[in-house]
Amino acid sequence: MNLPPPVADRSTFISALEAAITLSSEHGEHTGLLLIDLSNLRIINHRHGFEIGDYLLKEAQQQLQALSKLPDNVYRVSNKTYAFLLPRLTHPAFVALAVNRVQRTLEESLIIDDDILPVDLRLGLAVSRGSTQSALAMLVRAEDSLAQTRQGKPLQIDEAIQEPPVAERRLPLEQRFAEALYDNAFELHFQPKIDLRTGKVYGAEALIRWHLPDHGYVPPEELIALALVSGRSYELTRWVINRALRYQREWKEDFTLPLAINLPADLVSSPDLANMLQSALAIWGADPASVTVEITEGAVIEDKEAGFHNLEQLRSLGLGLSIDDFGTGFSSLSYFKEIPATEIKIDRSFVMRLLEDEQDQNLVKIIIDIGHLFNLEVVAEGVEDSATLDILRELGCDIVQGFLFARPMPEAELREWLRGREILAN
């Protein structure tokens, strides 16, 4: 069976969209951008195999190409999303006819048989009226529309046809997030981790940050939620991983610093996760043993079979695996022992109450003993005072991080902070 078309280069697609907008505006016409997302493709792959998923992707491409009749109007823009350009619309309302035709054609052609889970199509739409909108801004509007339909809301065709805000004065945070992703406008901060057994720097956790001049820093939880709602968790995570490994390579002339990188829960069972990490390791020449990926305790529970398979793949690459927020999930010990972890992180809520709650001390002691029973390193986060540090040391905790040592800091500040300090990996 032939493979589906590859994901288009982003700059190639943006250039094609820009050209379509320019051509339409030269004739006093309009351009439509329709995003078509096969939203449940991951489930279909898991249930029926990747050959079925590849067939559906290829069939969707062929049907869209046949509807377009032009070679440069159909692009696969992500693993399960196609972009369909509608240039030279003499009236923006004509886009409704095109949307209905695309949806009807795909719904009919992507049915294989009654035993195969039907494809769940989600659509996003934007219309450029003349030359009032750049290609990037138009794409952002279409992605925002798609994010709404992914939440179960109907496609708002009338809203897409309306004139965009004057000069796009201040885009909603969701749209600004998409633009920031295209513009690499995020940054990484790093919080050091200290080995209690040696007193040396053990490594650092890479943490994404997004600063808006007129807004300040967007809380990390909100940033992750924006990525999830807009269907961009994969892209954001790929950016974080590659930027972190790029820094790690740049540091090699001065020091070696192991890094921990967080994975969002919705990617733990993604079939593309291992390939993404393997590709990043190869690009930056990173030592897998110096990289730990962190997942929350509950992340694997939603899709145990796919999640465990992915985690085993990550471990086979030589990566470390940390179970974050340990103690807050709902997994049994028999379930936990199957996870191929190398480390557990005690949730900060327990750590920050150690001085005032004897039960929390007992819980932390149990977690530390469980970790050591399974030959895992145990990390405590949220350490903010020396008294808490002393208790953790007495309880046998291996590694700590928190404001007592350092807040998360930009890369340049991390270099300065590390100057004169011993690093375990050297």
Side-chain angles (χ1 to χ4, degrees):
M1 182 178 293
N2 293 330
L3 294 175
V7 175
D9 177 74
R10 181 178 297 163
S11 61
T12 301
F13 166 65
I14 292 293
S15 296
L17 179 56
E18 198 76 63
I21 295 172
T22 301
L23 178 63
S24 297
S25 65
E26 288 175 351
H27 293 81
E29 297 167 337
H30 314 285
T31 303
L33 171 60
L34 180 63
L35 298 180
I36 304 104
D37 185 64
L38 284 62
S39 67
N40 62 336
L41 186 66
R42 180 177 64 83
I43 298 174
I44 291 174
N45 283 332
H46 289 162
R47 185 173 299 182
H48 305 296
F50 285 93
E51 285 192 356
I52 296 296
D54 288 347
Y55 167 80
L56 292 170
L57 286 169
K58 183 182 176 185
E59 181 66 18
Q61 170 94 11
Q62 291 176 343
Q63 292 294 333
L64 291 171
Q65 201 69 67
L67 286 170
S68 173
K69 299 183 175 64
L70 295 173
D72 298 323
N73 284 347
V74 178
Y75 294 86
R76 186 181 175 200
V77 292
S78 75
N79 291 323
K80 57 187 181 69
T81 306
Y82 284 96
F84 189 57
L85 306 188
L86 300 162
R88 303 203 58 182
L89 297 169
T90 56
H91 193 285
F94 289 165
V95 75
L97 298 175
V99 170
N100 290 333
R101 187 177 181 191
V102 167
Q103 186 165 12
R104 184 174 66 253
T105 298
L106 291 181
E107 285 176 347
E108 292 174 355
S109 63
L110 297 183
I111 294 176
I112 299 178
D113 59 45
D114 293 340
D115 295 328
I116 302 295
L117 191 68
V119 175
D120 182 14
L121 293 176
R122 301 298 170 101
L123 307 180
L125 178 65
V127 178
S128 173
R129 301 174 66 89
S131 58
T132 60
Q133 199 172 27
S134 70
L136 181 57
M138 186 177 180
L139 176 58
V140 168
R141 289 187 69 206
E143 289 175 333
D144 185 56
S145 171
L146 178 59
Q148 298 298 314
T149 63
R150 278 176 171 149
Q151 296 179 62
K153 299 176 182 178
L155 180 64
Q156 300 295 327
I157 295 179
D158 291 341
E159 182 178 307
I161 293 172
Q162 292 174 3
E163 193 78 36
V166 177
E168 299 164 26
R169 286 185 296 268
R170 180 172 178 180
L171 293 172
L173 202 55
E174 293 86 349
Q175 296 184 9
R176 300 177 79 181
F177 165 75
E179 287 194 340
L181 189 56
Y182 281 113
D183 294 338
N184 290 318
F186 305 113
E187 57 183 308
L188 286 185
H189 287 194
F190 299 89
Q191 185 173 39
K193 300 164 70 175
I194 308 299
D195 192 322
L196 284 181
R197 298 159 296 193
T198 65
K200 297 179 181 180
V201 178
Y202 179 85
E205 181 179 0
L207 300 161
I208 190 167
R209 295 292 185 264
W210 182 25
H211 183 267
L212 294 170
D214 60 344
H215 185 94
Y217 277 103
V218 177
E221 298 81 7
E222 186 172 355
L223 176 55
I224 300 304
L226 286 169
L228 178 61
V229 168
S230 64
R232 290 180 166 276
S233 288
Y234 182 90
E235 292 178 69
L236 185 65
T237 303
R238 182 174 58 190
W239 183 92
V240 170
I241 290 170
N242 280 278
R243 182 56 58 92
L245 297 187
R246 174 182 169 182
Y247 276 135
Q248 197 179 51
R249 187 172 76 173
E250 292 174 354
W251 295 334
K252 282 186 177 179
E253 293 184 5
D254 301 315
F255 55 84
T256 301
L257 186 68
L259 286 179
I261 302 171
N262 292 279
L263 294 182
D266 62 305
L267 286 192
V268 171
S269 56
S270 169
D272 301 310
L273 179 60
N275 288 335
M276 174 174 65
L277 280 155
Q278 187 173 29
S279 175
L281 290 169
I283 289 171
W284 302 109
D287 177 7
S290 71
V291 180
T292 295
V293 292
E294 295 189 5
I295 64 169
T296 59
E297 185 181 352
V300 193
I301 297 175
E302 295 182 9
D303 192 343
K304 177 180 176 181
E305 182 177 350
F308 275 23
H309 174 71
N310 273 356
L311 299 183
E312 288 168 355
Q313 282 189 306
L314 299 187
R315 288 292 296 125
S316 70
L317 293 176
L319 295 163
L321 176 62
S322 177
I323 309 301
D324 200 4
D325 299 338
F326 191 84
T328 62
F330 303 96
S331 57
S332 66
L333 286 180
S334 60
Y335 176 73
F336 163 71
K337 74 177 182 179
E338 302 296 331
I339 300 177
T342 57
E343 173 186 290
I344 56 175
K345 294 188 75 174
I346 305 170
D347 184 67
R348 67 175 61 246
S349 63
F350 297 130
V351 174
M352 298 181 75
R353 294 196 300 263
L354 277 179
L355 298 178
E356 55 192 58
D357 194 323
E358 185 177 350
Q359 286 189 332
D360 279 324
Q361 283 192 33
N362 292 333
L363 282 173
V364 169
K365 174 60 176 174
I366 291 171
I367 292 172
I368 292 171
D369 290 344
I370 289 173
H372 291 163
L373 179 64
F374 288 104
N375 297 314
L376 305 176
E377 301 275 18
V378 182
V379 181
E381 55 183 346
V383 181
E384 298 187 357
D385 57 78
S386 56
T388 298
L389 179 66
D390 290 341
I391 293 176
L392 288 168
R393 185 181 283 112
E394 291 174 9
L395 295 177
C397 187
D398 304 309
I399 302 154
V400 292
Q401 66 182 101
F403 292 174
L404 176 62
F405 303 97
R407 292 175 178 268
M409 64 190 89
E411 190 267 345
E413 291 184 23
L414 176 71
R415 284 178 178 269
E416 185 65 28
W417 187 90
L418 287 171
R419 193 166 286 127
R421 287 178 168 84
E422 290 185 282
I423 300 176
L424 181 62
N426 267 355

